[in-house]
Amino acid sequence: MSDGTTGPASRRVFIDKQSPKAFHALVQTSEAVRATAAEAGLDRTTVELINLRVSQMNGCAFCLDLHTRKALRAGESSQRLAVLPVWRDTELFTPVERAALGLAEATNAPADTAAHADAYATARQVLTEDQISAAIWVAITIGAFNRVSVLSRHPVRPHAADQP
């Protein structure tokens, strides 16, 4: 009798590999969203902060690993990445980033209407409508990727540069 932690019952289907057409459509959506964010004036680090914050909330180790590396390559600091889970308690983030992070968190909690109202009120003060839309789309898209990776149990492997 299996306890569900080992054996065939615990092995996950990598749904991105099992249904490549659907996954490719999600990748294409992500590319369109990235272009939309750039056109709206959201810089790459802001986009990666959204990706990271939503991935933290969803517990997606694979996406956290991937987007931490992307954020660092885009010029993000390790200090800001370290305090991202408590971004409201620091002065390290710009008003634009704070508004985008608030929208990202609200988007990731669709039933929390109070969070939506607060996030929109803040966003309206510092973001354009195009930026509001783009930030929400970034959060929606990374949330979908989080679900693909979490439900597939995509592994996080050590990087060659991190090996002794």
Side-chain angles (χ1 to χ4, degrees):
M1 181 141 192
S2 174
D3 64 1
T5 59
T6 61
S10 68
R11 209 171 39 238
R12 298 289 177 103
V13 173
F14 278 23
I15 64 173
D16 50 330
K17 306 290 188 236
Q18 189 65 35
S19 305
K21 286 181 184 177
F23 185 72
H24 182 68
L26 182 57
V27 169
Q28 287 180 309
T29 299
S30 175
E31 291 168 356
V33 167
R34 188 171 40 248
T36 297
E39 290 166 8
L42 291 180
D43 63 32
R44 189 68 195 163
T45 56
T46 301
V47 169
E48 291 305 337
L49 290 172
I50 294 169
N51 287 334
L52 285 164
R53 185 65 192 120
V54 172
S55 297
Q56 288 169 344
M57 294 173 72
N58 289 329
C60 185
F62 184 86
C63 293
L64 283 167
D65 179 56
L66 175 68
H67 289 284
T68 296
R69 288 183 283 123
K70 286 184 174 189
L72 289 168
R73 280 195 304 267
E76 188 53 79
S77 75
S78 58
Q79 180 188 24
R80 285 176 18 120
L81 293 178
V83 299
L84 183 58
V86 291
W87 61 270
R88 285 181 180 85
D89 299 331
T90 76
E91 299 297 322
L92 297 177
F93 299 93
T94 69
V96 167
E97 292 165 340
R98 296 173 81 75
L101 289 167
L103 285 172
E105 288 182 356
T107 301
N108 205 48
D112 189 346
T113 56
H116 297 176
D118 289 345
Y120 256 92
T122 299
R124 284 274 183 206
Q125 295 174 15
V126 295
L127 299 178
T128 67
E129 288 188 357
D130 285 343
Q131 290 172 325
I132 290 170
S133 180
I136 291 170
W137 273 109
V138 171
I140 289 168
T141 306
I142 191 61
F145 279 110
N146 291 162
R147 283 150 183 79
V148 168
S149 290
V150 168
L151 293 171
S152 297
R153 282 199 183 148
H154 287 156
V156 175
R157 294 186 174 90
H159 304 285
D162 296 338
Q163 297 300 309

